[in-house]
Amino acid sequence: DAGITQSPRYKITETGRQVTLMCHQTWSHSYMFWYRQDLGHGLRLIYYSAAADITDKGEVPDGYVVSRSKTENFPLTLESATRSQTSVYFCASRYSGGETQYFGPGTRLLVL
Amino acid sequence: RKEVEQDPGPFNVPEGATVAFNCTYSNSASQSFFWYRQDCRKEPKLLMSVYSSGNEDGRFTAQLNRASQYISLLIRDSKLSDSATYLCVVNNNNDMRFGAGTRLTVKP
C-alpha cells in the first residue's frame, strides 16, 4: 500500500526556472492539499482541492499553480521560482467528511 | 499576530516526567482541533483530535477551552520515543492552520 507519495524528494533549481512537484495518492481520497513548511512559520496551506477539477487557494498561493485532472494526482508548479520559495513542501490528503489528513514524505526544494 | 501560537520550547525532560504543552488560537469560528506529531525531517502525523469534553489516549490527554481559545496536550510518563515536535492544528472549513510547533526532548 503506497499511500501518498511525493516526487522528487529533493530538488535544487535556479531563480526563474519552472519547477513541478508531484503528489500521488492511492486511497482515492477526494481532498488533497499542498503546504510549505518554513522555520518559525509552521505549515502554511498553499492550495487545496476538494475533487478532480476543483481547486481553491489557501493562505499563501502567490507564485504557485495547481491542477487536478485525476483524483490521485495533485501537482504543484512554481512557474518562475524565487529564493523565497526555498522550503519543504508537503502534500496531504483525506477522505471527504474525514478529519485526519495524511501527509506525504515531503519535497525539499532549494532555489539558488 | 499568528493564528495559532505555541511555545516553541525546547522542552527537555527526563524519562518518566509529565510535560504539558499549550496552544492559543485567534479565530473563534474554528471548528475542529488537533495535535500532530512531527519527527525530525519527517512528515506530520495525527496524534489525536481535541474535543471540548477533553479526551485521553493512553498517556496523552488533550483539552480544549473554546471560551479562552486555548488547547493543551499533557504527556504522562514520558518515553524516549516521545521526543518530537508537537504541532497544534486548528481547522475552519478545510483551512487548517498549524502552529510552529513545540519541540520535546526526553532524556534517559
Side-chain angles (χ1 to χ4, degrees), chain A residues 37 40 94 100-101 104 108, chain B residues 2 36 38 43 46 94 96:
Chain A
Q37 186 174 32
R94 68 166 174 83
T100 305
Q101 289 195 10
R108 294 181 178 275
Chain B
K2 293 180 183 175
Y36 274 71
Q38 186 173 24
E43 71 273 20
L46 179 68
N94 293 314
M96 299 265 283

Side-chain angles (χ1 to χ4, degrees), chain B residues 35 50-55 61-65 70-74:
Chain B
W35 283 101
V50 189
Y51 305 111
S52 297
S53 54
N55 48 302
T61 301
Q63 293 277 355
L64 166 65
N65 184 323
Y70 172 92
I71 304 162
S72 65
L73 176 68
L74 183 76

